[in-house]
Amino acid sequence: GAGVSQSPRYKVAKRGQDVALRCDPISGHVSLFWYQQALGQGPEFLTYFQNEAQLDKSGLPSDRFFAERPEGSVSTLKIQRTQQEDSAVYLCASEDQETQYFGPGTRLLVL
Amino acid sequence: QKEVEQNSGPLSVPEGAIASLNCTYSDRGSQSFFWYRQYSGKSPELIMSIYSNGDKEDGRFTAQLNKASQYVSLLIRDSQPSDSATYLCAVKGTGRRALTFGSGTRLQVQP
């Protein structure tokens, strides 16, 4: 079946712009995670949903970052007033029986 | 001290050799351990999961877990050039659903 999909795959934003990143999890997966991966580093946890409930947002780096999953399926990660330090790959993963499956990621470059 | 530590490498091995990748973690209560492979510009792909002490084998891959020493390793037998990638160790800490990743070890298999 289809894996996790993310869009856009690449995004260039000017500093101060708002961006929205979309994640379509594997159908039926209840748990969804967002991670941020800087160049040369492992992914770092941002936030976690179980169905539509955001159960852990401890990894969000600032209040400029906001995530939602209103119907328990598609999720959107929004970054307001982007800064250069937000440049990274944003990975979405959905989980089945302890295993997390990653999407291709969105590569964000803030100029 | 980082929660999950890996040698960044690169680890260079000749084709056909055994590659040994190591990882230590700080949360003694961790119960779930994962190895992901990440090719350059791609997203992490699960190779192995391990939950109990000892060895777990899957084809050319063997994961080893020693909870007393807080150590997990991945052995790749008969290494192939196509195994050249970054290998990420990931741990689910006590009471957490999210993965905590190491920074990855870059493996180079020389033809």
Side-chain angles (χ1 to χ4, degrees):
Chain A
V4 178
S5 61
Q6 293 186 245
S7 62
R9 294 292 311 277
Y10 303 92
K11 177 69 178 177
V12 179
K14 291 184 179 178
R15 189 160 56 96
Q17 277 186 329
D18 297 348
V19 299
L21 313 179
R22 177 189 169 106
C23 172
D24 278 88
I26 295 171
S27 178
H29 283 191
V30 167
S31 298
L32 182 148
F33 300 80
W34 284 98
Y35 294 87
Q36 179 190 61
Q37 187 172 24
L39 192 64
Q41 300 297 315
E44 291 198 0
F45 169 71
L46 294 175
T47 187
Y48 154 60
F49 289 86
Q50 187 170 316
N51 294 305
E52 68 278 3
Q54 189 175 20
L55 298 185
D56 187 349
K57 54 181 181 179
S58 62
L60 296 176
S62 77
D63 57 8
R64 297 186 294 104
F65 287 71
F66 171 77
E68 60 183 3
R69 194 186 184 197
E71 297 179 0
S73 178
V74 170
S75 178
T76 303
L77 176 67
K78 298 179 180 178
I79 309 174
Q80 296 177 322
R81 305 181 304 280
T82 52
Q83 302 295 313
Q84 286 186 321
E85 62 263 29
D86 300 334
S87 296
V89 176
Y90 291 85
L91 294 164
C92 175
S94 66
E95 184 179 71
D96 179 49
Q97 297 185 20
E98 285 282 305
T99 298
Q100 294 188 19
Y101 301 91
F102 284 83
T106 295
R107 188 175 297 272
L108 173 66
L109 177 63
V110 181
L111 301 176
Chain B
Q1 181 192 8
K2 292 188 68 176
E3 292 183 57
V4 179
E5 298 215 39
Q6 297 180 256
N7 188 320
S8 61
L11 172 66
S12 185
V13 300
E15 184 173 355
I18 296 175
S20 177
L21 304 162
N22 304 314
C23 171
T24 58
Y25 60 94
S26 61
D27 182 348
R28 186 169 288 279
S30 299
Q31 296 294 324
S32 307
F33 307 86
F34 306 85
W35 283 99
Y36 283 83
R37 177 176 63 198
Q38 187 171 30
Y39 292 113
S40 181
K42 303 295 186 182
S43 60
E45 171 193 12
L46 182 72
I47 297 177
M48 296 280 289
S49 58
I50 188 166
Y51 304 99
S52 54
N53 280 329
D55 295 0
K56 179 181 178 183
E57 186 175 318
D58 184 0
R60 295 187 297 113
F61 299 96
T62 298
Q64 300 175 316
L65 175 61
N66 183 327
K67 289 185 180 179
S69 299
Q70 295 175 242
Y71 175 92
V72 58
S73 65
L74 179 70
L75 300 178
I76 306 174
R77 288 182 299 281
D78 188 23
S79 296
Q80 301 298 309
S82 58
D83 294 327
S84 298
T86 295
Y87 289 79
L88 296 164
C89 173
V91 176
K92 277 194 183 180
T94 307
R96 298 203 71 208
R97 296 298 302 278
L99 295 171
T100 299
F101 285 86
S103 56
T105 297
R106 189 156 62 94
L107 173 67
Q108 295 176 340
V109 181
Q110 306 295 336

